[in-house]
Amino acid sequence: MEELIKRAAQDLANSSYAIALTGAGMSTESGIPDFRGPSGIWTKNPDAERRAYRSYEFFMENPKGWWVERVTGPNIFGDLAGYSPNAGHIAIGDLEKYGILKTVITQNIDGLHEKGGTKNLLEYHGCALKLRCVSCLSRMRREEIDLELLLKEDRLPPVCSVCGGVIKTDTVGFGEPIPEDVAEKSLEEAWKCDLMLICGTSAVVYPFANLPRIARQKKANYEIYIDPSEGKRPTGKTTVIEINAEPTPLTQEGISDYLIQGRIGEILPKIAAEVMRIRQI
Ligand code: NAD
């Protein structure tokens, strides 16, 4: 493992546009469970899974009823605002600070990358601590809207102060499209990067799981997707590195160049320290 850590640090130090992709495994060391592991939220509460699958459809049919259920019912994650970033989140924040990582694209909804110092962040599945207007995509912190008061005054659903559209939580439900702004920017980053560092995702949830495949395929398929006159044409191969407790389809299909198998909270700080040494930061 130590050799692979050195290799990853060298690859990062040599890169010109590195990005990171992260998943639920990034936050297990902060105490936030994943969905389907042995202690997963849905393993323990199958009813929550059934409700999650029909949640977006219900919102579209009856936003008021959806909000009443949200404000009065339990939150499946409990209070996500109470968790702290772990050594992995801090190392990702440091790698951005050193100018190595240009963007982080996360599937996580826990807000821990932001707390860990990441500035250029794309929250692919939204953030549980934020709300979003479904029309103009304006985001706001949850506490900016007094949901309890709106419930009491029978004024749910909340409406957007910018465009008057209906507001929902920022988290992306099953069947809900990825918000256009985040989807487009993520695709752009996957095209642009020359190194993709993938941490703690089983890479089975789509369309997020397409991003590493796009990075790997971009040279071959570039002209199919993007008009070359609109942007810089990517050249060469993207290095794809995985850090995960176990092999994933990306490992098995040869999408990643190599897997560093182990705990993110142990591996990422070592990589960040080695990058600092190489770059003499
Ligand atoms: P996943 O649960 O499918 O996969 C997590 C992967 O990380 C697994 O392969 C697991 O072996 C690995 N892992 C777990 N802890 C690790 C550690 N400490 N070090 C290294 N590897 C570790 O997660 P996913 O691919 O992100 O997909 C789940 C979906 O659920 C996502 O869409 C996400 O939005 C959502 N989700 C988010 C959170 C969160 O915000 N923290 C938590 C649960 C689920």
Side-chain angles (χ1 to χ4, degrees):
M1 184 163 89
E2 296 305 317
E3 279 312 302
L4 286 178
I5 287 173
K6 285 199 176 129
R7 182 176 168 188
Q10 192 64 60
D11 284 340
L12 279 159
N14 292 344
S15 69
S16 55
Y17 200 95
I19 68 169
L21 261 59
T22 70
M26 190 80 222
S27 296
T28 53
E29 290 170 70
S30 291
I32 302 175
D34 54 20
F35 277 149
R36 294 187 183 85
S39 312
I41 292 161
W42 290 344
T43 314
K44 288 181 170 171
N45 185 354
D47 195 43
E49 179 169 7
R50 273 190 292 279
R51 271 189 281 124
Y53 275 101
R54 60 173 267 277
S55 177
Y56 182 62
E57 205 184 324
F58 179 36
F59 172 81
M60 294 303 279
E61 281 164 10
N62 181 0
K64 179 177 178 175
W66 185 90
W67 266 112
V68 170
E69 221 176 67
R70 282 267 148 165
V71 179
T72 55
N75 184 335
I76 57 165
F77 281 105
D79 184 10
L80 275 179
Y83 289 92
S84 302
N86 62 54
H89 296 105
I90 306 288
I92 290 276
D94 287 346
L95 284 168
E96 185 188 17
K97 213 161 48 194
Y98 307 153
I100 305 284
L101 279 180
K102 305 296 192 276
T103 302
V104 176
I105 309 174
T106 187
Q107 289 181 98
N108 296 342
I109 58 166
D110 52 34
L112 289 184
H113 277 300
E114 203 176 320
K115 288 185 188 166
T118 297
K119 301 268 184 289
N120 200 11
L121 179 66
L122 293 169
E123 292 172 310
Y124 204 79
H125 292 162
C127 176
L129 312 178
K130 294 177 193 158
L131 306 174
R132 164 172 42 90
C133 169
V134 294
S135 302
C136 73
L137 305 183
S138 295
R139 271 74 168 192
M140 60 229 77
R141 297 257 151 210
R142 250 177 196 266
E143 54 278 13
E144 286 177 48
I145 294 186
D146 190 341
L147 296 165
E148 301 285 345
L149 182 70
L150 294 184
L151 174 72
K152 211 166 99 190
E153 294 179 350
D154 194 24
R155 289 197 289 129
L156 287 171
V159 291
C160 176
S161 60
V162 179
C163 76
V166 175
I167 286 175
K168 74 178 278 295
T169 50
D170 186 35
T171 46
V172 175
F174 287 98
E176 178 177 359
I178 305 299
E180 218 174 292
D181 51 355
V182 172
E184 271 177 23
K185 188 83 177 81
S186 300
L187 200 55
E188 226 174 78
E189 294 292 307
W191 281 113
K192 205 156 54 168
C193 69
D194 65 351
L195 188 148
M196 189 179 264
L197 180 66
I198 305 176
C199 309
T201 174
S202 58
V204 295
V205 178
Y206 284 83
F208 185 87
N210 275 328
L211 297 173
R213 292 174 167 83
I214 286 165
R216 174 58 82 219
Q217 291 283 319
K218 70 182 175 192
K219 201 178 170 203
N221 293 342
Y222 181 64
E223 277 157 11
I224 301 172
Y225 292 104
I226 288 183
D227 174 358
S229 64
E230 280 181 10
K232 195 175 154 215
R233 187 186 181 119
T235 51
K237 168 178 166 289
T238 302
T239 303
V240 180
I241 306 169
E242 277 188 281
I243 305 175
N244 212 72
E246 57 189 351
T248 73
L250 301 178
T251 332
Q252 283 137 11
E253 292 167 30
I255 305 285
S256 57
D257 290 280
Y258 52 98
L259 163 71
I260 311 179
Q261 191 164 356
R263 276 197 315 110
I264 287 168
E266 182 193 341
I267 295 168
L268 270 176
K270 286 186 180 172
I271 291 177
E274 182 62 12
V275 169
M276 272 179 83
R277 196 191 61 76
I278 297 168
R279 284 274 185 104
Q280 298 181 330
I281 297 167

